[in-house]
Amino acid sequence: MSKNYNSCFFEDGEIISFFKGEGDYFYRDPNWGEHLYYPSLRIALKEINGNTIKNKDFINAFDIFVKSLGDNETDSEHFWQNIYAFYLCLNSRDFDE
């Protein structure tokens, strides 16, 4: 992942790319070469803790992402991987609830 989160994907209009792990938001699994959703989401959620990103902005961004999804297997995979990554962040207490 090469994106600087201080410039924030919300401002750059790259919300969908972030949640799908596209371009600069691709966080490569060193073993499999696939996108790792948990580490990238963890970084964004830590920005919420650091007050770089507001809670409501993150929720709105996720809503935009969900509304952009099509009825296909690939988009379904992106959705469920983000949900699972969010669950992992909750369980490891990566951010204030």
Side-chain angles (χ1 to χ4, degrees):
M1 173 176 291
S2 61
K3 190 67 175 175
N4 177 356
Y5 277 87
N6 293 329
S7 63
C8 195
F9 58 95
F10 301 117
E11 297 167 6
D12 295 341
E14 299 175 351
I15 292 167
I16 296 166
S17 294
F18 169 78
F19 285 107
K20 287 187 173 184
E22 299 172 335
D24 288 337
Y25 298 103
F26 185 79
Y27 198 105
R28 183 179 304 277
D29 179 323
N31 296 319
W32 300 98
E34 297 175 352
H35 174 60
L36 293 174
Y37 293 82
Y38 169 72
S40 61
L41 189 60
R42 183 174 182 242
I43 291 168
L45 294 174
K46 285 185 178 255
E47 292 297 321
I48 290 172
N49 276 348
N51 294 319
T52 304
I53 300 172
K54 294 182 170 117
N55 289 343
K56 69 176 184 133
D57 291 337
F58 182 82
I59 292 167
N60 290 337
F62 192 75
D63 187 51
I64 289 169
F65 161 68
V66 170
K67 288 178 180 175
S68 77
L69 297 174
D71 186 15
N72 59 64
E73 187 175 329
T74 301
D75 281 356
S76 178
E77 179 75 11
H78 288 303
F79 175 78
W80 288 113
Q81 288 290 347
N82 275 284
I83 296 298
Y84 181 61
F86 188 77
Y87 170 78
L88 291 175
C89 288
L90 280 174
N91 276 345
S92 55
R93 302 184 190 263
D94 287 328
F95 65 101
D96 296 332
E97 297 175 34

